[in-house]
Amino acid sequence: MNKALKIVVLAKQVPDTRNVGKDAMTAEGTVNRAALPAIFNPEDLNALELALRLKEECEGSTLHILTMGPLRAADIIRDAMYRGADGGYLLSDRKFAGSDTLATSYALSSALRQIGADVIIAGRQAIDGDTAQVGPQVAEKLGLPQVTYAEQIEQVKESTLVVRRRLERGVERVECPIPAVITVNSSAPEVRPQNARLVMKYKYAMTKSEIAAAEDSLAAKMASERDYLNIVELTAADIVCDEQQLGLSGSPTKVKKIENVVFQAKEAKRLTASDEDINGLMVELIASHTLG
Amino acid sequence: MNNIFVYIELDEGVVAEVSLELLTKGRELADKLGVKLEAVVLGHNVAGINEELAKYGADTVWVADNEIFAPFRTLPHTSALCGLIKAEQPQIVLFGATPVGRDFAPRVSSALHSGLTADCTQLEIGPHKDAKTGKEYENLLYQIRPAFGGNIIATIVNPDCRPQMATVREGVMRKEMVAAPAAAEVKAIAWQEYISEADLAVTIIDRHIEERKINIKGASVIVAGGYGMGSKDGFKLCYDLAEVLGGEVGASRAAVDAGFTEHERQIGQTGVTVRPKLYIACGISGQIQHTAGMDESSMIISINSDPEAPINKIADYAITGKVEEIIPKMIKYYKQNSK
């Protein structure tokens, strides 16, 4: 039998940049976050699925989510609990604002040191930044080995994991000692759906801010009385760290300039689906040696 | 000291295209700054590699030649490069934004506590004034990249920490041999001093690398399909047209995400950048994350049922209608006229 593991999944709530509508940019050219739905970062869901499978394989294991973000990011912790996570930690503080990837990984690794984990699993990258940096940076800060682009944890051994990685043109299997950081590719199995029983169990799971906001409601009373409904909220003061390394002051990279992307309009020649138009186009392409 | 480093990525012993592209860009930046361009090679059996790197402008080639460096593993590469950076203090370090570069460059930045900008599409040298402190800087590396799903272009600087590090995607910069190449000086990296036993903890059990079958970058004609192809079955029309025209098939991220075709064909910011003679966009709306990877095509034809699709703004020919009706007609009339 495999030994019980303490598993932590790093996840992020992100604006859905894949379906950017016309109102996603303000007239001033800044991003209108309000117009974009906030979602569970897609590859973090793949990470959650691998973590759930690992938990099932190693009886007695626990699985918690760690996310850094605004208070509403508690939504993705609940979402993960509906799919099988045991609970989560929300790292939320104005002091984290303006963090680049390095300051983010500093905050996350400080929290992880306190939480403790045998296996840390994260999505490869978040769709709002596409940097893929935070996983490896956390691993470095914790002095742990990393396996990136994971798509399957194939085997759990006494003190190692065998992981299949997706490379650009193939696959590689590696054996990695634990504790370790694993980042997961979108080619990993899709996350399982929410489980109705778990939705019932955890729908009142709340952070202390949410409990305070819900005041004397029954839900808030339940959440505050039952430990398993407690989503742990952590501020900068709750994690042992050097505040200089957080937020803007902890971020070596600075944004110098932001430009809105505007299409350079040029007049396209308009054609219809008629035989005449398509025939004419093909004749033109052949005559200009664009084709053939 | 304070030179420019380019990490040279090896793919089965062959120098990756992106590394040559970075040497070309690095040469330009080094000339501007009046410093040397230094290539860093971590691999096995790499004797003679300096000749090729010198052709692309490297003044110095740093080499660590040992079996622990090939195939690539994160920790030996991280420790060897961090050790060399600490010893040599380059001001700029560039990596390809490949799976390898994106795997270990973040660790290097984390270990050295310096910033790293991912997936840059442009690099320039320029001054900077900090808005808050008023402090002025000369000759910083402008790291220019699309952000937020490609809806904005951000210029990032790294004023106070060194080195300034960036990854750059393959194909966005041009590679060019220097006019009068001089021999590069070969120097050995003292990697034995930098690497510990713990760096070898992760072992590779096996790897299966497929031959590169798909070469959309080199294709002169690309037929790309988007979500508007409707289904995996519907997407086959793109293959039919590409075959007749002697081109390759590309795809938007939406089509790849929907499982219409394989990831290797994805064009755009999170895929490949292409500049074919002819680009036919079928059922692609033209989100910036896609067009960023193809808008330098010599000619663009869009086929879309929506006459207002953003792709039409960069197209030379915009055909409004159903793909399933238009593509077969294109095949038919191409065959008729090319005889």
Side-chain angles (χ1 to χ4, degrees):
Chain A
M1 203 186 75
N2 294 314
K3 69 169 179 181
L5 297 172
K6 200 164 171 189
I7 307 164
V8 175
V9 171
L10 303 181
K12 186 180 184 187
Q13 189 182 46
V14 292
D16 191 353
T17 55
R18 294 171 305 179
N19 297 300
V20 175
K22 288 190 181 74
D23 50 355
M25 303 299 286
T26 64
E28 294 78 44
T30 58
V31 176
N32 179 12
R33 280 180 185 261
L36 296 167
I39 59 167
F40 204 124
N41 180 54
E43 281 179 330
D44 297 345
L45 285 171
N46 296 108
L48 175 60
E49 180 58 30
L50 288 201
L52 287 166
R53 291 178 182 203
L54 183 61
K55 182 191 163 187
E56 286 161 355
E57 194 133 314
C58 305
E59 212 179 307
S61 296
T62 58
L63 196 177
H64 287 82
I65 302 293
L66 170 62
T67 186
M68 181 167 121
L71 294 173
R72 64 165 189 280
D75 286 345
I76 65 166
I77 296 178
R78 271 185 293 273
D79 185 334
M81 292 166 84
Y82 300 158
R83 299 175 203 267
D86 298 303
Y89 301 85
L90 171 62
L91 203 49
S92 195
D93 197 316
R94 280 181 187 281
K95 290 186 177 134
F96 300 132
S99 292
D100 69 0
T101 62
L102 208 59
T104 302
S105 63
Y106 178 73
L108 289 173
S109 57
S110 301
L112 281 164
R113 260 196 210 99
Q114 244 165 278
I115 296 164
D118 301 310
V119 183
I120 298 162
I121 308 183
R124 177 185 56 130
Q125 63 187 30
I127 56 169
D128 59 344
D130 282 333
T131 71
Q133 290 178 4
V134 171
Q137 287 176 335
V138 165
E140 176 66 31
K141 294 219 179 314
L142 295 174
L144 299 180
Q146 72 189 44
V147 179
T148 51
Y149 317 108
E151 59 179 17
Q152 198 77 262
I153 297 173
E154 289 192 342
Q155 217 181 329
V156 185
K157 295 188 181 177
E158 180 56 31
S159 59
T160 62
L161 298 175
V162 174
V163 183
R164 191 173 77 223
R165 312 174 64 212
R166 172 60 47 181
L167 303 177
E168 212 169 9
R169 294 185 282 124
V171 292
E172 180 179 273
R173 285 195 309 151
V174 299
E175 184 163 353
C176 179
I178 50 176
V181 174
I182 296 173
T183 73
V184 181
N185 219 32
S186 57
S187 59
E190 237 180 87
V191 73
R192 64 197 61 188
Q194 295 184 353
N195 173 304
R197 192 179 53 79
L198 293 174
V199 174
M200 289 303 293
K201 180 175 176 187
Y202 288 125
K203 70 178 168 186
Y204 297 127
M206 288 188 211
T207 61
K208 61 174 188 261
S209 297
E210 286 172 325
I211 291 172
E215 284 180 10
D216 300 327
S217 70
L218 185 64
K221 191 167 176 305
M222 276 178 64
S224 58
E225 281 169 1
R226 297 176 196 191
D227 246 8
Y228 69 91
L229 293 179
N230 178 27
I231 294 176
V232 182
E233 203 175 311
L234 299 170
T235 64
D238 295 326
I239 55 173
V240 181
C241 65
D242 166 14
E243 292 204 354
Q244 270 305 306
Q245 293 200 45
L246 300 175
L248 272 179
S249 67
S251 301
T253 57
K254 311 284 177 202
V255 178
K256 180 176 170 60
K257 195 170 72 174
I258 294 280
E259 284 164 277
N260 191 2
V261 173
V262 187
F263 283 116
Q264 284 177 338
K266 78 177 169 189
E267 209 50 45
K269 207 166 167 183
R270 296 280 176 168
L271 301 174
T272 69
S274 71
D275 285 77
E276 200 187 339
D277 276 10
I278 304 295
N279 187 31
L281 173 65
M282 296 326 267
V283 169
E284 223 176 296
L285 292 177
I286 293 164
S288 66
H289 300 289
T290 304
L291 282 179
Chain B
M1 287 288 191
N2 303 138
N3 292 327
I4 296 179
F5 273 14
V6 171
Y7 167 74
I8 303 299
E9 183 169 335
L10 300 171
D11 186 1
E12 311 281 298
V14 179
V15 178
E17 285 286 298
V18 68
S19 300
L20 301 176
E21 293 161 10
L22 286 176
L23 283 176
T24 302
K25 174 54 77 175
R27 184 71 261 164
E28 177 195 320
L29 300 176
D31 289 344
K32 208 158 192 175
L33 293 169
V35 299
K36 283 188 172 170
L37 177 63
E38 310 201 295
V40 181
V41 179
L42 308 171
H44 189 39
N45 295 331
V46 295
I49 197 169
N50 48 302
E51 286 169 30
E52 184 182 7
L53 301 178
K55 285 182 197 157
Y56 289 89
D59 298 309
T60 310
V61 178
W62 289 98
V63 178
D65 194 333
N66 190 277
E67 60 188 11
I68 65 168
F69 296 113
F72 169 84
R73 280 185 292 168
T74 310
L75 296 178
H77 273 242
T78 303
S79 293
L81 186 58
C82 283
L84 183 65
I85 289 173
K86 282 182 193 155
E88 291 297 315
Q89 307 280 321
Q91 57 177 304
I92 293 172
V93 182
L94 305 177
F95 304 83
T98 59
V100 164
R102 286 164 62 93
D103 175 276
F104 91 111
R107 272 198 95 112
V108 173
S109 92
S110 188
L112 302 173
H113 190 79
S114 193
L116 169 69
T117 305
D119 295 355
C120 293
T121 51
Q122 226 180 314
L123 298 171
E124 290 167 16
I125 300 290
H128 174 66
K129 187 175 174 181
D130 189 283
K132 248 193 236 156
T133 61
K135 193 172 166 193
E136 293 189 37
Y137 300 84
E138 285 301 319
N139 293 329
L140 286 192
L141 180 68
Y142 290 179
Q143 302 151 49
I144 302 165
R145 76 174 300 244
F148 221 75
N151 297 283
I152 54 180
I153 300 287
T155 301
I156 311 289
V157 289
N158 188 353
D160 296 313
C161 297
R162 290 294 174 274
Q164 306 164 83
M165 290 186 281
T167 68
V168 176
R169 300 182 65 85
E170 189 182 348
V172 297
M173 290 176 181
R174 289 169 200 284
K175 67 165 186 182
E176 205 173 84
M177 286 195 215
V178 291
E185 187 185 355
V186 180
K187 293 185 181 176
I189 300 170
W191 60 268
Q192 296 89 339
E193 293 172 26
Y194 309 140
I195 287 180
S196 69
E197 196 59 37
D199 290 332
L200 308 176
V202 178
T203 53
I204 296 172
I205 300 171
D206 52 25
R207 33 188 3 239
H208 299 280
I209 304 299
E210 296 132 24
E211 281 301 307
R212 201 184 280 257
K213 288 177 300 220
I214 304 165
N215 181 18
I216 48 175
K217 277 187 66 172
S220 66
V221 175
I222 293 176
V223 180
Y227 197 67
M229 297 308 295
S231 64
K232 193 168 180 174
D233 232 31
F235 195 90
K236 288 193 182 126
L237 278 174
C238 295
Y239 286 92
D240 296 344
L241 181 58
E243 197 189 333
V244 173
L245 302 181
E248 262 295 355
V249 173
S252 70
R253 182 172 181 164
V256 172
D257 283 351
F260 295 174
T261 188
E262 58 262 68
H263 181 257
E264 287 70 26
R265 298 191 184 276
Q266 189 169 314
I267 290 166
Q269 267 159 16
T270 45
V272 193
T273 302
V274 294
R275 295 186 188 83
K277 227 160 83 175
L278 174 63
Y279 192 93
I280 306 178
C282 312
I284 292 177
S285 66
Q287 299 281 3
I288 177 71
Q289 51 260 58
H290 181 73
T291 58
M294 47 66 77
D295 60 3
E296 286 185 39
S297 305
S298 308
M299 181 180 285
I300 298 167
I301 297 174
S302 85
I303 308 173
N304 208 295
S305 52
D306 175 9
E308 301 304 320
I311 188 87
N312 289 346
K313 294 200 177 124
I314 60 163
D316 299 277
Y317 294 90
I319 312 173
T320 303
K322 293 190 180 123
V323 283
E324 60 271 25
E325 187 184 335
I326 293 165
I327 294 178
K329 281 187 188 175
M330 290 175 90
I331 295 171
K332 175 178 156 196
Y333 289 113
Y334 176 76
K335 283 184 176 163
Q336 251 177 40
N337 291 301
S338 62
K339 272 172 195 161

